[in-house]
């Protein structure tokens, strides 16, 4: 009985109240994701209960199960309101208005549960961004992948730190 009580805080920590880690294409007790995005270092911190902590993020709205539904993000001086739709615990779409144009990103997943492709629809124009050649860390989260953005192939890398 005493051993079960000692294990309880660790079991509770592994259970996330919020699903922001999953929105950022990871699972588990993630503390921080660092990645280079379009030439800028992007760092996303997470609380022990799975909530995103970013200076650029505000007004996050969650459903009763802890899935983020919408939030505001300040990107290069422009405030975007992003609406997220979920399906089976994964992001299905993200919608926003960018410089007066409605943009919807629809995501599909591979057998490992990582994004296989994003289809970006902006003002009626569709652009496909497939992902391949994934490399994973010892927690099963991707740390490197090849992607195609607007016809240009690039390798994306990221570093993930965990609560342990």
């Amino acid at each position: 009985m005493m051993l079960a009580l000692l294990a309880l805080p660790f079991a509770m920590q592994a259970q996330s109240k919020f699903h922001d880690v999953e929105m950022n294409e990871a699972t588990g007790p993630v503390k921080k994701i660092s990645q280079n995005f379009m030439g800028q270092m992007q760092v996303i911190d997470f609380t022990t209960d799975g909530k995103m902590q970013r200076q650029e993020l505000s007004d996050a709205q969650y459903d009763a199960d802890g899935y983020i539904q919408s939030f505001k993000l300040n990107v290069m001086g422009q405030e975007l309101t992003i609406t997220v739709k979920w399906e089976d615990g994964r992001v299905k779409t993200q919608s926003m208005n960018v410089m007066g144009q409605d943009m919807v990103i629809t995501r599909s997943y591979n057998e490992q549960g990582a994004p296989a492709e994003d289809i970006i629809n902006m003002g009626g124009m569709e652009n496909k961004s497939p992902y391949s050649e994934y490399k994973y860390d010892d927690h099963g989260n991707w740390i490197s992948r090849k992607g195609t953005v607007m016809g240009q192939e690039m390798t994306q890398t990221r570093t993930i730190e965990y609560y342990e």
Side-chain angles (χ1 to χ4, degrees):
M1 178 69 176
M2 183 61 141
L3 194 56
L5 287 174
L6 289 174
L8 190 58
F10 298 107
M12 289 173 73
Q13 180 180 3
Q15 300 255 348
S16 288
K17 178 179 177 185
F18 298 99
H19 298 278
D20 295 356
V21 170
E22 290 89 337
M23 190 185 81
N24 287 279
E25 305 170 14
T27 59
V30 173
K31 183 178 190 177
K32 179 189 291 191
I33 297 175
S34 304
Q35 60 190 353
N36 191 318
F37 183 73
M38 296 173 75
Q40 301 227 326
M41 182 52 75
Q42 182 181 64
V43 178
I44 305 167
D45 292 299
F46 298 90
T47 62
T48 54
D49 60 1
K51 196 171 196 179
M52 259 191 304
Q53 301 289 291
R54 286 180 68 177
Q55 184 177 341
E56 309 88 0
L57 184 134
S58 63
D59 295 340
Q61 304 295 315
Y62 293 87
D63 70 9
D65 296 319
Y67 289 95
I68 197 164
Q69 302 297 297
S70 68
F71 59 96
K72 290 184 178 166
L73 193 63
N74 190 317
V75 180
M76 295 184 275
Q78 183 179 357
E79 187 174 78
L80 302 175
T81 299
I82 301 171
T83 303
V84 183
K85 300 284 184 221
W86 296 81
E87 186 176 280
D88 299 325
R90 296 179 178 160
V91 172
K92 181 66 179 163
T93 63
Q94 292 185 49
S95 308
M96 64 206 80
N97 187 290
V98 180
M99 297 182 283
Q101 293 279 329
D102 287 332
M103 182 166 94
V104 178
I105 303 168
T106 304
R107 178 164 294 152
S108 62
Y109 295 85
N110 65 23
E111 313 78 53
Q112 290 82 21
E117 180 178 69
D118 285 341
I119 298 174
I120 302 161
N121 186 316
M122 187 161 176
M125 302 250 326
E126 213 171 76
N127 209 330
K128 294 184 179 191
S129 293
Y131 301 105
S132 62
E133 298 183 37
Y134 277 93
K135 292 183 179 142
Y136 296 89
D137 66 9
D138 57 0
H139 287 80
N141 289 313
W142 75 265
I143 52 171
S144 175
R145 68 181 179 189
K146 286 213 187 283
T148 304
V149 179
M150 297 176 44
Q152 184 120 4
E153 189 175 283
M154 60 180 65
T155 300
Q156 295 175 296
T157 59
R158 66 184 188 172
T159 304
I160 302 176
E161 293 176 34
Y162 296 88
Y163 287 103
E164 305 198 81

